[in-house]
Amino acid sequence: MKLVFGFTVLLLIGFALGNEVFSEETKSAFAFAFDFDFISKQTSSSSSFNVMDYGAVGNGLVDDSQAFDEAWKAVCSANVGEETATLVVPQGKTFLLDALVFEGPCLPKTLHFQIGGSVIAPQGTSWGNGQVDAWIHFSSIENLILDGGGTINGQGSSWWQPCMKTSAFGFFFDCQRRPVALHFHNCSGLRLKGLTHLDSPMLHISINDCKDVVLSHLHIMAPGDSPNTDGIDISNSINVQIQDSTIGTGDDCVAINGGSSFINIIGVNCGPGHGISIGSLGDGAFDTVEGVHVKNCNFSNTQNGVRIKTFKVRVVRILKMVSYFRIILMKKEIVGWFGFRQNISFEQILFDNVKNPIIIDQFYEEKIRYRSYGIWEKAAGGIKVSDVTYSDVRGTSASEQAINLDCNNGVGCSNIVMRNIDITPSGGGGGPNIQGLCHNAHGTAFHVKPQVPCLS
């Protein structure tokens, strides 16, 4: 009789558990008391996933890629309801990772990637094998948060060395394809905060085809002579905010490329590097950029300050190498490319010993340095630049050309507004005699030093 009664009680308990009659606390108590493994598995869930629990070692020597991949699969598929699912990379450890892709869509509404320790790329260049576009790639994830105060180190010095060796013609013969350190594609609601990014093989952070992005309190660093190590590169993205960050690299601190709109950059310290650049644009497509606002940013010992750069033409060329020092141009086609950049503002900007503080370059031809050899030519066409405002800008210039508005004869630059600009020589009275230069730029100037002759 007792056996029958006990069996009946168990059936009733099982029925109640299965039909959500009891609270979670009561379920847990039953699971503990009766040691029912199946009950605990069905009724408990975790929202935190530590890479150490998936086999990561964290000594900086053993490849932890598989552990990270397995932890990602677990957190991405976790059924946590309204909770945030968190992947934990713990403090005090260094994790060696090969190229990884963290891909969505994921089940949690918000996914937190908490990097407390250090993540490092392999030494050398063999791991990329010329086929990897990104070291760490996040794709198609909504409401992704990356933070934790840790470090992402691309260990890129081995990648830079061949790129620093150029021929007499400026070609980078040994510069192989290099990966971006951290790449985000098709991610909406992205938040990247409080991390340190070091020594990427190429770009440190790439934002592509994303929307509603906030990047804040970042430290991005690489040597001033490291090639193409842009801090943050934005393309085809909408509503991106960069704020309260320090960036010093061998290229642009921030680069805003085609298809981007509503970009706000506030409170960024830039240097060394090539400044904050809009472009380059027009190198092979119809490009647009609009609604870019840069405010309260400081530039120290940079090559450029605030720059807008566009290609005027695309040149398709077939070159035949006859000898090491002779190049014959076999075919040359000049094509104009069109687009626009508009509604751009630079406000409350401070320069300290900046070589080119303010520049609009519609003849941007870093690749066209070969035109003196008869390889490149200019043609009409280009990207229209309009509605650009510079206000409350001051500081020192390391060169004579403190302001240079170099606009082409085709589309030119229109509605350029400058007010309250005060740029002086870096060396004080003993510095260069600075000047403002312009070509085919149209607009107005109020209280601008040095004067810009083509603005009224």
Side-chain angles (χ1 to χ4, degrees), residues 156-227:
S157 59
S158 298
W159 296 87
W160 306 331
Q161 294 304 321
C163 299
M164 296 178 179
K165 300 175 183 178
T166 61
S167 73
F169 296 99
F171 289 102
F172 297 102
F173 284 118
D174 299 321
C175 190
Q176 67 188 106
R177 182 176 175 181
R178 291 173 287 155
V180 173
L182 189 59
H183 179 60
F184 299 93
H185 173 73
N186 190 31
C187 293
S188 61
L190 171 66
R191 300 293 183 267
L192 181 61
K193 179 181 180 180
L195 297 174
T196 297
H197 303 257
L198 302 175
D199 298 342
S200 173
M202 202 167 78
L203 313 178
H204 282 79
I205 300 171
S206 172
I207 308 293
N208 173 256
D209 198 22
C210 296
K211 63 180 180 179
D212 302 329
V213 176
V214 178
L215 297 86
S216 65
H217 300 91
L218 303 178
H219 287 78
I220 306 173
M221 294 295 169
D225 61 350
S226 56

Side-chain angles (χ1 to χ4, degrees), residues 124-426:
T125 62
S126 59
W127 64 272
N129 199 27
Q131 302 298 319
V132 176
D133 290 323
W135 170 38
I136 300 174
H137 183 173
F138 290 90
S139 178
S140 302
I141 306 162
E142 292 189 5
N143 302 319
L144 173 65
I145 302 170
L146 266 78
D147 64 9
T151 300
I152 299 174
N153 189 340
Q155 301 203 108
S157 59
S158 298
W159 296 87
W160 306 331
Q161 294 304 321
C163 299
M164 296 178 179
K165 300 175 183 178
T166 61
S167 73
F169 296 99
F171 289 102
F172 297 102
F173 284 118
D174 299 321
C175 190
Q176 67 188 106
R177 182 176 175 181
R178 291 173 287 155
V180 173
L182 189 59
H183 179 60
F184 299 93
H185 173 73
N186 190 31
C187 293
S188 61
L190 171 66
R191 300 293 183 267
L192 181 61
K193 179 181 180 180
L195 297 174
T196 297
H197 303 257
L198 302 175
D199 298 342
S200 173
M202 202 167 78
L203 313 178
H204 282 79
I205 300 171
S206 172
I207 308 293
N208 173 256
D209 198 22
C210 296
K211 63 180 180 179
D212 302 329
V213 176
V214 178
L215 297 86
S216 65
H217 300 91
L218 303 178
H219 287 78
I220 306 173
M221 294 295 169
D225 61 350
S226 56
N228 309 115
T229 54
D230 298 52
I232 301 171
D233 187 275
I234 303 168
S235 60
N236 295 305
S237 296
I238 301 172
N239 193 19
V240 178
Q241 181 160 309
I242 303 169
Q243 62 187 39
D244 303 325
S245 297
T246 298
I247 306 173
T249 68
D251 211 301
D252 295 329
C253 291
V254 181
I256 304 164
N257 296 298
S260 299
S261 58
F262 307 109
I263 313 297
N264 291 287
I265 303 171
I266 304 169
V268 169
N269 295 314
C270 174
H274 294 182
I276 293 177
S277 295
I278 301 176
S280 56
L281 298 179
D283 187 21
F286 182 91
D287 274 334
T288 64
V289 168
E290 60 180 328
V292 177
H293 303 290
V294 181
K295 183 177 181 180
N296 192 28
C297 293
N298 301 323
F299 300 80
S300 179
N301 298 303
T302 53
Q303 184 182 98
N304 306 294
V306 291
R307 174 170 60 162
I308 298 174
K309 53 181 180 177
T310 70
F311 284 92
K312 185 173 183 180
V313 296
R314 174 177 177 245
V315 181
V316 180
R317 66 202 188 281
I318 300 175
L319 304 177
K320 179 178 180 182
M321 182 68 74
V322 177
S323 67
Y324 289 113
F325 304 106
R326 183 181 175 197
I327 296 178
I328 296 179
L329 183 65
M330 303 299 295
K331 182 180 179 182
K332 185 162 52 180
E333 179 185 355
I334 311 297
V335 184
W337 295 99
F338 300 91
F340 61 83
R341 280 188 252 192
Q342 62 187 20
N343 190 17
I344 298 167
S345 69
F346 303 98
E347 181 181 358
Q348 297 177 14
I349 304 298
L350 179 62
F351 300 123
D352 179 17
N353 195 42
V354 173
K355 189 174 180 181
N356 300 292
I358 296 175
I359 181 169
I360 296 178
D361 184 4
Q362 285 195 308
F363 303 100
Y364 178 68
E365 295 170 348
E366 188 172 78
K367 297 177 182 178
I368 309 177
R369 68 189 72 179
Y370 324 117
R371 65 178 180 269
S372 59
Y373 298 97
I375 297 175
W376 297 88
E377 292 181 1
K378 292 182 177 180
I383 304 293
K384 181 179 180 180
V385 176
S386 64
D387 305 315
V388 182
T389 299
Y390 303 85
S391 62
D392 299 319
V393 178
R394 59 189 177 88
T396 59
S397 173
S399 69
E400 293 183 358
Q401 296 182 11
I403 302 173
N404 187 7
L405 311 180
D406 191 11
C407 306
N408 69 39
N409 293 323
V411 294
C413 304
S414 61
N415 197 23
I416 309 299
V417 177
M418 290 190 168
R419 65 169 69 94
N420 300 327
I421 312 294
D422 185 8
I423 303 175
T424 58
S426 291

Side-chain angles (χ1 to χ4, degrees), residues 39-69:
I39 294 177
S40 62
K41 287 180 181 178
Q42 287 182 358
T43 60
S44 66
S45 63
S46 174
S47 60
S48 180
F49 302 80
N50 193 315
V51 294
M52 303 299 291
D53 296 332
Y54 293 84
V57 177
N59 64 1
L61 301 174
V62 175
D63 186 351
D64 288 321
S65 302
Q66 183 175 350
F68 272 66
D69 185 56

